Amino acid sequence: SGARGSILENEDLYREFFENASDIIFTYDFSGKLLSINKAVEGITGYTVAEAMEKNMVSVFPPDQMHIAQRTLDVKTAGEVPLNFETEILGKDNNRITLGVSTRPMYRGGKIIGVQGIARDITKRKKTEEALHEANLKLEAWVSELEERTREMTMLNDMGDILRACFTLEEAYN
């Protein structure tokens, strides 16, 4: 009974970890059918666990991310351990969500039967990185413009000095 108790205790710990994780923890087969998913899917995508379980994985990928969707369902690709990538999916309200995903194959009897993975919502981080990149580009443009204006001011100052040194109009004209 002691060993049985510890097995059940371990199962409870794993179930608790699975359900309470802030990242999406999932498993799926190569038809794109979800086999399991935790409650984090609700906060990140807006889909309930039941709604997510009814969806085919491919259906949440926007058209421009379909190459990644197909790659995740490729048995050969799934055999690469581990596979880490970023992708965008569509939430329930069709908003784009950027995910950092890590997957690895699931084996039963030496045969690959599906994929297990963890997906973290990195939407805010990506937007911050893009905003930072934009700000950096603007800053570089301003610096370049400032350098050009400084060069022009230096040339005008030099020309003013040269003109002040002239005694005749002819000298100034030259």
Side-chain angles (χ1 to χ4, degrees), residues 57-70 87-91 94-98:
M57 280 203 10
V58 175
S59 69
V60 298
F61 284 85
D64 65 324
Q65 300 286 301
M66 210 44 73
H67 63 286
I68 295 175
Q70 289 162 344
T87 189
E88 288 184 334
I89 63 165
L90 297 174
N94 263 347
N95 60 321
R96 288 176 86 99
I97 301 161
T98 307

Side-chain angles (χ1 to χ4, degrees), residues 19-39:
E19 288 303 336
N20 296 329
S22 56
D23 294 338
I24 300 172
I25 301 173
F26 59 93
T27 57
Y28 64 87
D29 66 20
F30 291 106
S31 71
K33 179 181 177 358
L34 281 168
L35 305 173
S36 68
I37 197 159
N38 66 344
K39 285 188 289 194

Side-chain angles (χ1 to χ4, degrees), residues 12-125:
D12 285 346
L13 286 172
Y14 281 112
R15 173 63 47 196
E16 189 178 341
F17 168 75
F18 177 79
E19 288 303 336
N20 296 329
S22 56
D23 294 338
I24 300 172
I25 301 173
F26 59 93
T27 57
Y28 64 87
D29 66 20
F30 291 106
S31 71
K33 179 181 177 358
L34 281 168
L35 305 173
S36 68
I37 197 159
N38 66 344
K39 285 188 289 194
V41 73
E42 296 177 358
I44 293 174
T45 69
Y47 289 110
T48 65
V49 168
E51 288 170 331
M53 290 296 290
E54 287 177 18
K55 293 192 116 359
N56 187 291
M57 280 203 10
V58 175
S59 69
V60 298
F61 284 85
D64 65 324
Q65 300 286 301
M66 210 44 73
H67 63 286
I68 295 175
Q70 289 162 344
R71 196 168 163 229
T72 62
L73 297 178
D74 182 346
V75 179
K76 289 187 290 285
T77 305
E80 298 171 17
V81 183
L83 190 60
N84 297 299
F85 58 94
E86 288 181 6
T87 189
E88 288 184 334
I89 63 165
L90 297 174
K92 188 172 182 176
D93 60 2
N94 263 347
N95 60 321
R96 288 176 86 99
I97 301 161
T98 307
L99 298 175
V101 183
S102 177
T103 62
R104 58 186 330 115
M106 291 189 312
Y107 292 94
R108 293 293 177 272
K111 184 176 185 273
I112 188 168
I113 60 153
V115 174
Q116 56 188 198
I118 298 175
R120 173 166 288 171
D121 183 357
I122 59 170
T123 308
K124 283 186 184 132
R125 189 191 87 202

